[in-house]
Amino acid sequence: MSETELPLPEIDSGQLDEDDRLKPEFVDAVLRAVDDGDDEAVRQLVEPLHPADIADLFELTPNERRSALAKAIADLLDGDVFAEMNDYVREDLIDALEPHEVADIASELDTDDAVAIIEDLDADDQREVLRAMEPDDRAAIEEALSYPEESAGRLMQRELIAVPEHWSVGDVIDYLRADEALTTDFWEVFVVDPSHKPVGTCMLSWILRTPRSVLLSDVMKREQTLIPVDMDQEEVALRFQKYALISAAVIDGSGRLVGMVTVDDIVHIISEEAGEDALLLSGAGEGDINEPLLTSYRARVRWLIANLATALVAATVITVFEGTITKMVALAALMPIVAGVGGNAGTQTMAVTVRALATNQLTESNTLRAIRREITIALLNGVSVALVIGTAVALYYQHIELGGVIAAAMMANILIAGLAGVVVPLTLERLRADPAVASSIFVTMTTDSMGFFVFLGLASVSGLVG
């Protein structure tokens, strides 16, 4: 992405803290200058910042003051800044610009960054912006938008270096020097056959260290990782991680080279996907603090209502054993412990399973082994926790039978939790549903209801209450 071509400027130590974050006092100084209408002061403060820090400044600025800040530093708001911005912040600013201004910004960027800006616009705004772009740029953007969201086609750059395999190293060097229109950001040269299908790659270091007379076919690396244009971006990231890639060729359905993905794009994807799974497990939606309030509300409330429905299942179990509870009040105090610890055990297993599925560590070939592993861990945890809680309850209430009942219930519920924590995500995965979205609801329902059922059921049948 664009940050790779931008050298880090010398930043005043008064602007950034030790973690390279903008200091609150610096942000306050900029906003005071904005409120005073002193555009020159604002520009002097902001100009030394890297585009990524300018993007951070907008994210730290209240929504109602961003337009004024943008107006004060309009000449600094280039494509590199917009490429670094949070999606919601960028959308607010883009909405305030004319189509030709958005087109100018997009034209400065690599295709993948331009697509990231344009894809969030309304259909009418997209058409206006595309009409204002140069024909070549417009064609590249329209092609990218034709691919599914979060696919390699949206992620890839069209700007790359591809040469025929019959060339020599000297031919490649002369070509790179002679054509000023070529991209300046690349790590390897793709070698293609006459039908433009990739047959190998040459790293720049190989080209620089190889005599000019050597043919590319003699020095190139024929084994390469090819990315289908419709592959999901998360799968692309996994391939980069697995094979330690710097860049990779993207091919269409016929095997022709249509673009490339670079590792700086993948760093963003890995970060986004990891955060996304964690937020989905909690039912918090995208979890972006710049997300509109109503959007956040809608994302969260539906899962809270779903959780309310599953909680009624646990409440129904308690109602069934109402007579048992009234005979021994201690049961009411202890049963949340059984459900709570079981819930935590289930969440641990679920988190490990969801991550293993997301990183392709857990597949059909090792599913049974993973289930056995989690049950073994649950058994060990169950024994340890049961001994502790059973002994503590027996001593506190001076009631050995009560200690034995809660120990047995705790053991059983942790085993159930371990099984649910691995089986629920696996089942959702087999059903082509995202295991990160709904797993927590089902696992929590299982551990709560079964925790109450086992504990109160054992108390009833054991003769603990008369």
Side-chain angles (χ1 to χ4, degrees):
M1 293 176 70
S2 56
E3 64 265 26
T4 58
E5 63 190 54
L6 294 167
L8 289 173
E10 292 295 328
I11 302 294
D12 190 298
S13 60
Q15 297 167 341
L16 303 178
D17 62 18
E18 63 275 8
D19 295 319
D20 290 331
R21 297 173 299 191
L22 293 174
K23 290 183 177 180
E25 53 268 28
F26 172 76
V27 177
D28 291 342
V30 172
L31 295 182
R32 280 197 303 270
V34 170
D35 294 339
D36 293 340
D38 191 348
D39 292 354
E40 183 58 31
V42 176
R43 196 181 188 288
Q44 289 180 359
L45 286 167
V46 176
E47 187 174 18
L49 295 177
H50 186 272
D53 293 316
I54 297 178
D56 287 344
L57 177 62
F58 275 93
E59 294 173 25
L60 295 170
T61 299
N63 184 48
E64 64 276 6
R65 300 161 81 179
R66 287 172 185 158
S67 295
L69 174 60
K71 181 179 178 182
I73 59 169
D75 57 331
L76 301 178
L77 279 179
D78 57 15
D80 297 308
V81 175
F82 278 96
E84 296 289 347
M85 274 186 189
N86 171 274
D87 290 345
Y88 293 105
V89 176
R90 181 173 59 208
E91 186 176 343
D92 286 342
L93 292 179
I94 290 293
D95 287 343
L97 298 177
E98 294 297 324
H100 72 274
E101 294 176 314
V102 180
D104 290 341
I105 292 169
S107 298
E108 298 174 8
L109 299 170
D110 290 332
T111 310
D112 58 323
D113 290 326
V115 169
I117 290 177
I118 295 175
E119 67 182 352
D120 293 329
L121 299 177
D122 294 333
D124 292 339
D125 292 334
Q126 276 190 12
R127 284 191 290 269
E128 289 294 326
V129 171
L130 290 171
R131 270 198 292 265
M133 299 182 73
E134 294 295 325
D136 290 344
D137 293 333
R138 179 170 64 249
I141 299 298
E142 288 176 340
E143 181 188 5
L145 292 173
S146 69
Y147 297 118
E149 291 188 21
E150 298 189 347
S151 66
R154 292 286 184 99
L155 184 64
M156 71 182 181
Q157 301 176 25
R158 271 71 176 171
E159 301 82 6
L160 52 80
I161 306 297
V163 298
E165 59 181 320
H166 66 265
W167 277 14
S168 68
V169 170
D171 293 331
V172 176
I173 293 175
D174 292 340
Y175 171 64
L176 295 176
R177 291 174 176 172
D179 194 338
E180 295 182 358
L182 294 175
T183 182
T184 57
D185 291 324
F186 60 96
W187 291 269
E188 59 185 343
V189 172
F190 296 103
V191 184
V192 295
D193 65 13
S195 60
H196 208 66
K197 295 180 179 179
V199 295
T201 63
C202 271
M203 295 178 62
L204 287 179
S205 57
W206 300 353
I207 293 173
L208 292 174
R209 294 171 60 87
T210 303
R212 291 177 58 90
S213 59
V214 175
L215 293 176
L216 283 179
S217 57
D218 294 332
V219 71
M220 71 181 183
K221 178 183 178 183
R222 295 187 179 274
E223 298 79 18
Q224 57 181 319
T225 300
L226 300 177
I227 307 295
V229 73
D230 57 352
M231 178 179 283
D232 184 84
Q233 65 179 20
E234 189 170 4
E235 182 64 30
V236 177
L238 289 173
R239 290 201 178 185
F240 267 71
Q241 184 178 11
K242 181 177 181 179
Y243 299 114
L245 302 177
I246 299 297
S247 62
V250 180
I251 55 173
D252 62 14
S254 62
R256 296 179 69 253
L257 177 66
V258 293
M260 72 172 179
V261 177
T262 53
V263 69
D264 52 327
D265 301 311
I266 296 303
V267 170
H268 289 268
I269 299 304
I270 292 173
S271 176
E272 289 174 6
E273 294 290 349
E276 180 182 278
D277 286 346
L279 289 165
L280 288 174
L281 281 171
S282 67
E286 293 188 20
D288 195 314
I289 62 173
N290 294 294
E291 187 178 34
L293 286 174
L294 287 178
T295 304
S296 295
Y297 160 73
R298 286 192 294 267
R300 300 184 192 187
V301 72
R302 65 173 181 263
W303 290 111
L304 292 176
I305 292 174
N307 187 235
L308 178 62
T310 57
L312 292 176
V313 175
T316 302
V317 173
I318 296 174
T319 302
V320 172
F321 292 98
E322 185 175 0
T324 301
I325 297 173
T326 57
K327 294 178 181 178
M328 191 172 190
V329 179
L331 298 176
L334 295 174
M335 64 184 186
I337 299 176
V338 179
V341 174
N344 289 335
T347 299
Q348 290 176 341
T349 306
M350 177 184 64
V352 171
T353 304
V354 169
R355 180 184 181 278
L357 287 170
T359 57
N360 285 343
Q361 290 181 315
L362 182 54
T363 64
E364 291 186 13
S365 61
N366 64 348
T367 295
L368 291 178
R369 186 168 74 250
I371 293 175
R372 287 195 298 268
R373 177 182 184 275
E374 292 304 325
I375 290 177
T376 301
I377 293 173
L379 179 62
L380 295 172
N381 287 336
V383 171
S384 301
V385 177
L387 286 174
V388 173
I389 189 64
T391 302
V393 167
L395 293 175
Y396 183 82
Y397 288 98
Q398 296 295 303
H399 203 306
I400 296 176
E401 291 82 359
L402 180 58
V405 166
I406 195 172
M410 185 69 76
M411 176 84 175
N413 201 31
I414 289 179
L415 278 172
I416 292 169
L419 185 62
V422 67
V423 169
V424 168
L426 281 171
T427 302
L428 292 172
E429 175 79 5
R430 299 294 184 266
L431 295 174
R432 304 297 181 186
D434 189 341
V437 174
S439 293
S440 61
I441 297 293
F442 292 111
V443 171
T444 300
M445 178 189 70
T446 301
T447 55
D448 284 355
S449 57
M450 292 305 297
F452 295 146
F453 179 81
V454 172
F455 180 51
L456 297 176
L458 286 174
S460 298
V461 302
S462 66
L464 186 63
V465 293

